[in-house]
């Protein structure tokens, strides 16, 4: 075994870095995630700054205690470990649950390549858990139109094909059509959904969109209009097949923190449009293999572990690319220990390994030098191989009929009988 730390190959680090800039604040938008640069060195994402700058609230122990008391469920590992770290009005959502008032879940997937990576899976698996705990409807928006607008190299046919493939991967996570509606924007556009898009688009000025997203005069008009499309599913009347004509049913949106700007705008206009403001739970980013200064990217293979990777590919990527917090030699590692806080294999384990005691033991052992870099990587490889292998097997069993039912807006869903006013 070796304690050597592994750093990404120089060419690839340069491709990910902020290069030639001596200092720069961190940049977190729906399309770019980069840590700050201080004295020419890229820094990890500062989530405390995001809470302050975005005006959100920390998910604290008191909120988790209330959640457990109301639901009878131990908080999910992502909540317990601070991966889901921030929220907007989750306490009010728990009020509704306590009062037995209806709400629904809304999340999304923007397919820009043929397969998801493990970073895409985190909010989706968390969303499935929330759906099981709260027993509520879920709508999943496939933003194929967004990817066409923001990824100039992609064609309409490509993004639609990617969204079709995404449904099978989503179905492999256990989503059922009696509780879940998955829709492509390119398919579902029209009717009540489009009416709400129009209402939102007239309520948000270009100045507000520019201030929120940084649009400029050379951006295509489709990009400037797109936020209204992502906001509209937060209005329950976009789904009359589930909620009838009601406008008083709010949603809970589990998402990565970079998606929050959309829903800050949504919360600004909802009451004007006679709908309830959405609540949000924000997660941290799964770091790229090269470290926590940026997130995994579906467009750069060496940064990501994909859901179609083979066990050999997973092993090779972790061993070759995963940034290590260990020392440069096994002898030094045994003497001085490593830093699990920057060690990518350990970070991945905190997202995917259920056992809290093992997580704590690995961190403590790594700091003391009792757990080597190769041992940490080996544990990470095994956990990821098992998780991805299980999803791959379930995806093979997904039928075409199940995919059709999940995408059918008129499927007889369990919650279609929600009382209508």
């Amino acid at each position: 075994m070796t304690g050597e730390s592994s750093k990404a190959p120089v060419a690839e680090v340069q491709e990910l870095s902020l290069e030639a800039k001596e200092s720069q604040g961190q940049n977190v938008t729906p399309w770019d995630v980069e840590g700050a640069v201080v004295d020419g060195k890229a820094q990890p994402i500062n989530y405390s700054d995001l809470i302050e700058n975005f005006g959100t609230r920390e998910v604290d122990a008191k909120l988790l205690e209330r959640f457990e008391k109301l639901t009878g469920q131990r908080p999910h590992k992502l909540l317990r470990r601070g991966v889901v770290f921030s929220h907007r009005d989750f306490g009010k959502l728990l009020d509704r649950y306590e009062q037995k008032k209806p709400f629904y879940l809304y999340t999304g997937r923007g397919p820009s390549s043929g397969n998801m990576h493990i970073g895409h899976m985190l909010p989706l698996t968390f969303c499935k858990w929330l759906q099981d705990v709260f027993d509520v409807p879920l709508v999943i928006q496939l933003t194929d139109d967004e990817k066409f607008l923001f990824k100039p190299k992609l064609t309409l046919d490509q993004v639609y094909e990617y969204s079709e493939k995404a449904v099978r991967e989503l179905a492999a996570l256990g989503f059922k059509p009696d509780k879940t509606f998955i829709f492509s924007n390119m398919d579902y556009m029209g009717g009540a959904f489009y009416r709400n898009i129009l209402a939102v688009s007239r309520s948000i000025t270009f100045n507000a969109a520019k201030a929120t997203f940084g649009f400029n005069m050379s951006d295509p008009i489709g990009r400037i209009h797109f936020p209204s499309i992502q906001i509209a599913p937060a209005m329950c009347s976009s789904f009359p097949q589930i909620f009838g004509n009601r406008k008083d049913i709010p949603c809970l949106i589990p998402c990565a923190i970079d998606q929050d700007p959309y829903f800050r705008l949504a919360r600004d206009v909802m009451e004007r449009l006679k709908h309830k403001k959405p609540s949000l739970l924000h997660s941290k980013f799964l770091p790229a293999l090269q470290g926590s200064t940026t997130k995994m990217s579906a467009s750069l293979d060496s940064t990501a572990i994909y859901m179609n990777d083979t066990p050999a590919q997973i092993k090779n990527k972790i061993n070759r690319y995963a940034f290590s917090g260990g020392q440069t030699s096994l002898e030094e590692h045994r003497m001085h220990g490593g830093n699990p806080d920057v060690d990518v294999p350990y970070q991945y384990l905190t997202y995917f390994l259920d056992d809290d005691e093992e997580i704590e033991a690995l961190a403590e052992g790594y700091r003391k030098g009792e757990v080597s870099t190769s041992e940490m990587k080996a544990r990470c490889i095994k956990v990821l191989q098992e998780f991805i292998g299980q999803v791959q097997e379930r995806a093979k069993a997904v039928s075409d009929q199940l995919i059709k039912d999940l995408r059918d807006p008129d499927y007889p869903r369990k919650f279609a009988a929600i009382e209508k006013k």
Side-chain angles (χ1 to χ4, degrees):
M1 294 185 184
T2 176
E4 290 183 358
S5 62
S6 61
K7 316 299 179 187
V10 173
E12 285 164 332
V13 172
Q14 288 175 342
E15 192 170 8
L16 291 169
S17 74
L18 302 177
E19 299 180 357
K21 298 177 182 176
E22 286 301 311
S23 64
Q24 173 181 296
Q26 66 182 6
N27 179 38
V28 176
T29 75
W31 310 288
D32 294 295
V33 175
E34 295 172 326
V37 177
V38 178
D39 296 329
K41 292 186 65 176
Q43 305 296 309
I45 303 297
N46 187 321
Y47 292 100
S48 296
D49 279 359
L50 288 180
I51 287 177
E52 182 177 350
N53 294 337
F54 283 12
T56 66
R57 300 189 67 179
E58 181 184 5
V59 174
D60 57 19
K62 185 177 180 180
L63 189 65
L64 294 183
E65 287 170 9
R66 185 177 181 220
F67 170 87
E68 185 166 1
K69 181 179 179 181
L70 288 177
T71 65
Q73 295 287 329
R74 187 186 187 202
H76 192 277
K77 61 178 177 290
L78 299 183
L79 287 166
R80 299 195 307 269
R81 297 171 188 169
V83 174
V84 176
F85 71 105
S86 164
H87 74 99
R88 291 187 187 274
D89 284 348
F90 186 56
K92 291 184 179 180
L93 199 287
L94 291 178
D95 291 343
R96 289 189 70 88
Y97 181 75
E98 185 174 22
Q99 296 160 8
K100 303 188 184 307
K101 292 182 178 179
F103 61 93
Y104 66 104
L105 291 165
Y106 161 36
T107 193
R109 167 82 180 100
S112 60
S113 65
N115 286 92
M116 296 189 199
H117 59 59
I118 57 174
H120 296 138
M121 282 288 164
L122 288 169
L124 295 166
T125 56
F126 179 57
C127 200
K128 179 65 172 67
W129 181 83
L130 289 171
Q131 185 185 39
D132 291 342
V133 169
F134 289 128
D135 191 23
V136 292
L138 164 66
V139 296
I140 302 178
Q141 181 185 48
L142 300 176
T143 56
D144 34 22
D145 50 350
E146 179 208 20
K147 294 308 175 187
F148 175 72
L149 292 167
F150 287 87
K151 300 279 187 179
K153 293 183 179 180
L154 294 178
T155 68
L156 279 171
D157 287 342
Q158 281 178 312
V159 295
Y160 189 73
E161 178 187 345
Y162 295 158
S163 71
E164 295 254 292
K165 191 169 185 179
V167 181
R168 184 172 296 275
E169 292 179 307
L170 290 166
L173 296 179
F175 294 114
K176 303 300 182 185
D178 63 332
K179 295 184 182 181
T180 307
F181 174 42
I182 303 174
F183 63 99
S184 153
N185 282 341
M186 290 199 284
D187 283 341
Y188 192 58
M189 191 65 64
F193 181 45
Y194 187 56
R195 287 196 294 273
N196 281 338
I197 289 169
L198 290 174
V200 172
S201 65
R202 196 170 74 172
S203 301
I204 298 172
T205 66
F206 174 69
N207 282 339
K210 180 181 178 182
T212 302
F213 298 105
F215 295 133
N216 59 59
M217 299 306 291
S218 64
D219 280 314
I221 59 174
R223 294 184 183 181
I224 298 163
H225 177 254
F226 177 77
S228 61
I229 301 175
Q230 185 153 324
I231 288 170
M235 305 166 74
C236 64
S237 63
S238 293
F239 309 101
Q241 306 90 340
I242 302 174
F243 304 111
N245 295 321
R246 292 185 66 167
K247 296 183 177 181
D248 63 337
I249 301 176
C251 66
L252 170 63
I253 306 171
C255 61
I257 188 67
D258 61 340
Q259 298 299 302
D260 183 75
Y262 287 113
F263 303 112
R264 290 205 303 272
L265 280 181
R267 288 167 58 84
D268 287 343
V269 303
M270 281 298 167
E271 290 184 347
R272 203 183 324 160
L273 299 175
K274 297 180 171 53
H275 282 73
K276 297 286 189 181
K277 292 182 178 182
S279 300
L280 288 95
L281 283 170
H282 304 115
S283 64
K284 296 178 180 178
F285 307 113
L286 187 74
L289 284 162
Q290 286 78 9
S292 58
T293 60
T294 188
K295 66 176 183 177
M296 255 186 204
S297 170
S299 58
L300 192 57
D301 183 74
S302 62
T303 73
I305 305 290
Y306 292 93
M307 294 306 298
N308 67 334
D309 279 348
T310 65
Q313 287 173 318
I314 295 166
K315 181 177 180 179
N316 179 62
K317 286 182 178 181
I318 293 296
N319 282 331
R320 182 177 179 187
Y321 297 120
F323 187 88
S324 169
Q327 303 296 331
T328 55
S329 70
L330 179 58
E331 182 180 5
E332 289 183 6
H333 187 82
R334 296 297 190 205
M335 184 178 301
H336 302 294
N339 182 2
D341 296 333
V342 300
D343 187 84
V344 166
Y346 176 76
Q347 293 303 311
Y348 288 178
L349 287 169
T350 66
Y351 286 78
F352 288 97
L353 182 61
D354 287 325
D355 190 331
D356 288 345
E357 290 185 3
E358 184 178 356
I359 286 291
E360 292 173 7
L362 285 167
E364 183 179 0
Y366 202 62
R367 290 189 182 98
K368 291 180 177 179
E370 297 168 356
V371 175
S372 71
T373 290
S374 61
E375 289 168 329
M376 188 72 81
K377 286 186 173 184
R379 187 69 181 112
C380 176
I381 290 166
K382 185 173 187 295
V383 168
L384 292 183
Q385 286 174 335
E386 289 176 354
F387 172 76
I388 292 171
Q390 290 168 3
V391 176
Q392 288 174 348
E393 286 302 309
R394 290 198 297 266
K396 293 176 185 176
V398 171
S399 68
D400 291 341
Q401 185 62 50
L402 175 58
I403 291 174
K404 181 180 178 181
D405 291 344
L406 284 165
R407 301 187 69 171
D408 183 357
D410 296 314
Y411 186 88
R413 292 184 164 81
K414 176 182 178 181
F415 296 94
I418 286 178
E419 181 183 357
K420 301 175 178 62
K421 289 188 175 180

